Amino acid sequence: MNAPHIPKAFAASDVRSEEMLLNMGPQHPSTHGVFRVVIRTDGEIVIDSESHVGYLHRCFEKHCESVSFLQSVLYTDRLDYLTSMGNNLAFSLGVERLFTDLVIPERAEHIRVICAELNRIASHLLAIGTYGMDIGAITPFLYCFRDREKILSIFESICGQRLNYNYVRPGGVAYDIDDSMIAAIKDFCKYFRPKAQEYDDLLSNNDIFVRRTANVGVLSKELALSYGVTGPCLRGSGVKRDLRRDLPYSIYSRFDFEIPVGTGERGTLGDCYDRYMVRVREMIESLRIVEQAVSQIPDGPFKTDQIKGKLRPPKGESFIRVENSRGELGFYIISDGKDVAYRVKCRAPSFHNISLLTDISRGAMIADMVAIIGSLDIVMGEVDR
Amino acid sequence: MTPDKVHEILKAKHAQAVSAFDPNPKHPSIKIAPEFWRVVAKTLRDDCGLDYLVSLTAVDRAAELEAIYTLEVMDGARCPIHVRVLVPRDNPLIATVEDIWRTADWHEREAWDLMGITFVGHHNLVRILCAEDWEGHPLRKDYKSPDTYHGIKNNVT
Amino acid sequence: MAESIQEINLNNDSPTRDNILITSVDQLVNWTRRSSVWPMTFGLACCAIEMMATGASHYDIDRFGSGPFRATPRQADLMIVAGTVSHKMAPRVKRLFDQMPEPKYVMAMGACTVCGGPYIKHGYHVLKGVDRLIPVDVYVPGCPPRPEALLEGLFRIQDKMKRERVLDRERIGLRPKLLVE
């Protein structure tokens, strides 16, 4: 075919495109909360962008210095409110690390792992569902919420809350679980395993979805490492780093599970599709851990009897990191022997993951910006604390 | 890279910079004099291989402000090493390390915002979490939250 | 609506039989308005997740006509403030409220927007109740409120709409007030 005839008046070289500043957020349906990014565009292309955070700064660290250790657990819930169990677990492990000879009962350790992994599945379900919605697919969102409700009703029977559980506490867990709850968890495992195939059919193999995400927002291994990116974002770039395996905490070393990493199956290694696929596969691995933990849960006490009265850790400092659903959540806790912490610093994974947005969005289309932010899966409660 | 090894390398290269070393296996830490911090940071990254700044914790120690840099080797997680830099409260200046570890950029902004440690040489040291016109540094122990902010009552208990 | 509709049956062979209904303008306008309350997608924090759950498959807010969550304030008539409002966010909340067309309604969802919630004492950067900034019609407590509670809040808004009068542009007696101390 001949090239179309273009009149000289409309030659591409004559058209002047002008730069524009575009403000996205803090109220925007696809910035996942109150995240604001100022984009400098040339037409449809993002030349540069600047992230603004802090619109949800809720003074977490000040609260930890003002209320007792046990009350601080309540505020950790509201950091990454999609993975409250993981936050509780991290803070509790940090406080327990200050003690020298604290022994956590086996049953409590198993309940902790079960809850943390179920919460990881719930969190990834929401991440996948809302990611589909960002891209333009509404059905996966409804499917994901259907299954997420099943996990939430298990949590509700365990601790009475659908969100912000305040369940895992220093020394064990708040309440014991009974046989009916264990049966419900087993039922969920049976129910959920075939569902993963359904998500693959709905979203992973959907051509529109693949075209919107493959080769978009490529995060190279070097860039991810230099920014301290962790969690599914880092594993999506092909780095096999998971604290559950590399630096085991609680009783994770006993379980058999794989660490899924990105392979670049549909595009380039480290693109949005890889990060998405890591989350999909991680849900199955979490399910495997839950199944193993439920099958070998022992009888016994659900919290230690070594802590009597007020929780008063000895003087000292501790730093703990756990693999949360968004990456490595760390707490630096300084105690001066009182029942109130002297200083608590939270090392939030989303805070690191979103700081590289400027670098990976350069040269992308504005519509891809939404796909990139969605694939990083940030939670502003954790970024702003 | 074990803490003892790091201490050895630092002792050999910057003998006067290291002022204390705590080899506690649960929480190893090294104290560095603030005037040597930048050169020590380069050594930590290049010679000791600590290429990952996990976290930067700013602590109010009454007469002094402390910045605790938690460092680790990215390739394979191990127990991280904590590097302490203490500066006087009335003149809290620390050299920036944002070009050494990129993670430090936002962390230093946060430490300045909440604790008021000035990182000399940082390219964009502005508030990151609090509002732009916020006054004071909230995580200092003597901080009093404002009674009103933009005409809205703030302390209501 | 049903109780206020009168069907006119003049006589059995009239052509108007089963074709004419009588109601007042107020009733009709309020009925249409409360049957399609369009909320704004205004998720701030944890409560936004429960708001999403209310809109999703299990609780299905579509049953009550409030399904279309609009991303822009100009198409919405209900603002569900779902989550903690910080001082940095406060001017944006006010601006979004001002951009909504009248008549507009505000629901404070969750303890943080009702009074500051768990952040009331030490939260230096948290607005202690969104009613210091914009007038609130309905308060839904909880941390976060369950989806059922949010639906109940929506019903209370609908009850309020039921009592409005078309000619009463200023919504005298129904317009909420700002909290002034």
Side-chain angles (χ1 to χ4, degrees):
Chain A
M1 246 177 89
N2 292 333
H5 172 70
I6 302 172
K8 196 158 183 293
F10 298 123
S13 55
D14 286 350
V15 179
R16 276 182 299 128
S17 67
E18 283 171 16
E19 290 187 2
M20 189 172 80
L21 273 186
L22 188 72
N23 182 49
M24 189 169 159
Q27 202 274 323
H28 192 278
S30 60
T31 52
H32 289 223
V34 283
F35 175 62
R36 174 170 168 232
V37 52
V38 179
I39 310 169
R40 186 176 166 145
T41 66
D42 181 359
E44 189 78 347
I45 312 287
V46 176
I47 300 174
D48 211 347
S49 68
E50 192 188 0
S51 312
H52 294 266
V53 299
Y55 292 95
L56 194 59
H57 179 45
R58 298 195 277 195
C59 332
F60 167 73
E61 289 164 13
K62 193 75 178 176
H63 279 91
C64 289
E65 296 174 13
S66 312
V67 300
S68 74
F69 279 102
L70 211 52
Q71 287 170 316
S72 302
V73 179
L74 179 146
Y75 292 97
T76 63
D77 278 328
R78 286 151 184 81
L79 286 173
D80 176 355
Y81 35 79
L82 297 175
T83 328
S84 300
M85 290 287 186
N87 302 346
N88 291 172
L89 178 61
F91 188 78
S92 303
L93 287 172
V95 174
E96 283 157 12
R97 220 176 140 95
L98 287 165
F99 292 89
T100 44
D101 54 349
L102 201 63
V103 181
I104 307 302
E106 278 290 296
R107 187 176 176 81
E109 294 276 28
H110 279 82
I111 297 174
R112 283 176 171 191
V113 167
I114 292 168
C115 289
E117 291 307 315
L118 278 178
N119 211 175
R120 191 188 310 272
I121 297 174
S123 166
H124 282 347
L125 275 174
L126 191 127
I128 292 164
T130 50
Y131 190 40
M133 205 154 73
D134 288 345
I135 304 285
I138 292 187
T139 320
F141 171 75
L142 298 172
Y143 275 64
C144 289
F145 263 71
R146 176 194 65 189
D147 293 345
R148 189 171 170 269
E149 284 295 334
K150 293 196 191 305
I151 300 178
L152 294 194
S153 60
I154 292 173
F155 282 153
E156 205 180 346
S157 66
I158 290 177
C159 62
Q161 270 276 56
R162 286 165 49 85
L163 217 63
N164 299 348
Y165 311 105
N166 193 11
Y167 180 61
V168 181
R169 297 184 189 171
V173 293
Y175 319 101
D176 203 359
I177 63 175
D178 64 18
D179 292 342
S180 69
M181 297 165 196
I182 292 177
I185 295 168
K186 281 182 177 161
D187 282 349
F188 173 78
C189 294
K190 271 201 211 90
Y191 163 84
F192 189 70
R193 212 165 246 288
K195 291 290 165 200
Q197 187 59 44
E198 208 171 291
Y199 296 128
D200 269 0
D201 295 343
L202 254 179
L203 206 55
S204 312
N205 297 324
N206 183 323
D207 195 42
I208 302 171
F209 180 77
V210 172
R211 279 167 195 239
R212 279 297 305 272
T213 52
N215 292 321
V216 171
V218 177
L219 172 59
S220 69
K221 184 182 165 187
E222 292 71 30
L223 189 69
L225 292 174
S226 74
Y227 271 104
V229 172
T230 46
C233 297
L234 179 66
R235 290 193 283 274
S237 299
V239 183
K240 208 167 195 167
R241 182 187 162 100
D242 189 323
L243 289 185
R244 289 175 293 174
R245 174 67 52 81
D246 297 339
L247 198 67
Y249 52 91
S250 194
I251 52 167
Y252 275 105
S253 51
R254 297 183 202 168
F255 300 115
D256 171 38
F257 62 98
E258 295 291 316
I259 302 167
V261 290
T263 51
E265 54 206 290
R266 295 293 172 101
T268 323
L269 180 67
D271 58 6
C272 292
Y273 188 81
D274 275 349
R275 290 195 279 278
Y276 158 81
M277 274 321 276
V278 166
R279 291 197 182 94
V280 173
R281 294 190 177 127
E282 252 182 41
M283 289 199 298
I284 300 300
E285 298 306 322
S286 292
L287 203 66
R288 275 177 70 191
I289 300 176
V290 174
E291 282 169 347
Q292 292 170 47
V294 164
S295 66
Q296 51 182 258
I297 185 167
D299 284 331
F302 62 95
K303 61 181 173 188
T304 176
D305 52 3
Q306 285 166 290
I307 298 173
K308 290 195 176 66
K310 245 181 185 170
L311 181 65
R312 210 165 267 161
K315 204 170 168 182
E317 301 185 6
S318 81
F319 182 74
I320 187 81
R321 276 176 304 162
V322 307
E323 186 73 33
N324 225 351
S325 39
R326 272 159 200 80
E328 295 173 7
L329 176 74
F331 283 106
Y332 197 110
I333 303 173
I334 303 178
S335 161
D336 56 354
K338 299 202 185 91
D339 59 331
V340 178
Y342 184 77
R343 174 85 168 90
V344 173
K345 156 85 186 182
C346 169
R347 183 258 184 234
S350 296
F351 188 73
H352 293 241
N353 293 1
I354 199 61
S355 63
L356 54 64
L357 182 67
T358 307
D359 282 63
I360 61 168
S361 65
R362 208 167 276 141
M365 310 284 266
I366 292 179
D368 291 344
M369 196 79 181
V370 173
I372 293 169
I373 295 175
S375 76
L376 292 175
D377 187 26
I378 49 165
V379 168
M380 290 317 285
E382 186 177 63
V383 179
D384 300 341
R385 279 155 288 154
Chain B
M1 185 61 60
T2 59
D4 295 314
K5 195 86 184 293
V6 172
H7 182 231
E8 243 170 60
I9 294 174
L10 287 188
K11 262 280 185 241
K13 278 197 110 171
H14 317 280
Q16 69 278 44
V18 183
S19 53
F21 174 57
D22 175 14
N24 178 0
K26 264 167 103 179
H27 199 82
S29 69
I30 301 174
K31 196 167 152 192
I32 304 287
E35 57 269 30
F36 300 105
W37 168 232
R38 240 188 105 76
V39 282
V40 171
K42 281 211 177 83
T43 311
L44 283 170
R45 187 194 62 180
D46 298 336
D47 299 350
C48 307
L50 297 164
D51 53 353
Y52 174 24
L53 176 66
V54 182
S55 169
L56 165 55
T57 311
V59 189
D60 183 354
R61 301 273 190 198
E64 286 168 315
L65 297 179
E66 183 179 21
I68 306 173
Y69 296 79
T70 304
L71 300 169
E72 199 199 46
V73 184
M74 192 75 188
D75 198 10
R78 270 164 217 98
C79 186
I81 298 167
H82 307 277
V83 180
R84 301 162 186 280
V85 181
L86 273 94
V87 284
R89 192 193 181 88
D90 46 1
N91 188 25
L93 302 175
I94 301 182
T96 182
V97 287
E98 60 158 343
D99 51 335
I100 298 174
W101 295 287
R102 279 170 110 165
T103 336
D105 180 0
W106 280 26
H107 272 293
E108 288 182 351
R109 279 176 68 186
E110 189 196 321
W112 185 82
D113 184 357
L114 300 181
M115 195 60 87
I117 299 175
T118 308
F119 291 91
V120 181
H122 191 287
H123 78 285
N124 183 25
L125 199 65
V126 294
R127 286 193 184 273
I128 183 167
L129 295 182
C130 292
E132 293 85 355
D133 57 350
W134 198 258
E135 278 172 24
H137 302 288
L139 282 186
R140 288 196 180 185
K141 291 287 178 188
D142 56 357
Y143 176 76
K144 296 255 184 313
S145 65
D147 281 336
T148 58
Y149 179 73
H150 286 204
I152 298 173
K153 203 169 169 208
N154 196 25
N155 297 333
V156 295
T157 51
Chain C
M1 182 81 179
E3 69 277 11
S4 63
I5 298 175
Q6 292 167 17
E7 198 177 332
I8 299 183
N9 289 329
L10 295 173
N11 53 51
N12 277 351
D13 46 345
S14 160
T16 61
R17 184 172 181 263
D18 296 342
N19 279 323
I20 293 182
L21 298 173
I22 291 183
T23 184
S24 68
V25 174
D26 279 350
Q27 298 271 9
L28 184 69
V29 169
N30 288 346
W31 173 62
T32 52
R33 190 174 277 160
R34 76 170 188 269
S35 308
S36 62
V37 184
W38 286 13
M40 182 166 71
T41 318
F42 191 45
L44 293 171
C46 338
C47 290
I49 307 299
E50 287 299 68
M51 189 169 79
M52 281 154 71
T54 316
S57 31
H58 203 82
Y59 292 95
D60 195 11
I61 202 171
D62 265 323
R63 291 177 294 166
F64 310 104
S66 283
F69 278 87
R70 306 311 292 178
T72 161
R74 296 179 203 282
Q75 297 171 357
D77 41 17
L78 171 63
M79 185 187 208
I80 303 178
V81 188
T84 317
V85 182
S86 69
H87 281 306
K88 196 172 179 178
M89 190 66 194
R92 278 82 181 173
V93 177
K94 180 88 173 82
R95 172 177 290 193
L96 287 165
F97 175 75
D98 291 342
Q99 284 176 343
M100 283 168 66
E102 287 279 358
K104 51 192 170 189
Y105 305 86
V106 175
M107 191 196 292
M109 181 187 181
C112 296
T113 50
V114 173
C115 67
Y119 304 99
I120 189 164
K121 193 166 179 194
H122 305 292
Y124 52 86
H125 196 254
V126 175
L127 184 70
K128 315 297 187 310
V130 77
D131 50 4
R132 290 162 195 278
L133 195 71
I134 54 177
V136 176
D137 290 86
V138 169
Y139 297 84
V140 182
C143 191
R146 294 181 55 88
E148 291 94 329
L150 181 63
L151 289 176
E152 182 65 24
L154 175 70
F155 300 157
R156 294 285 83 81
I157 294 261
Q158 289 175 336
D159 283 351
K160 202 165 181 175
M161 290 174 168
K162 220 178 192 172
R163 300 203 303 274
E164 295 209 342
R165 309 211 31 221
V166 173
L167 292 178
D168 182 9
R169 293 266 170 85
E170 296 298 312
R171 296 168 63 208
I172 295 164
L174 289 171
R175 191 186 280 275
K177 300 232 164 21
L178 271 182
L179 178 72
V180 184
E181 285 175 311

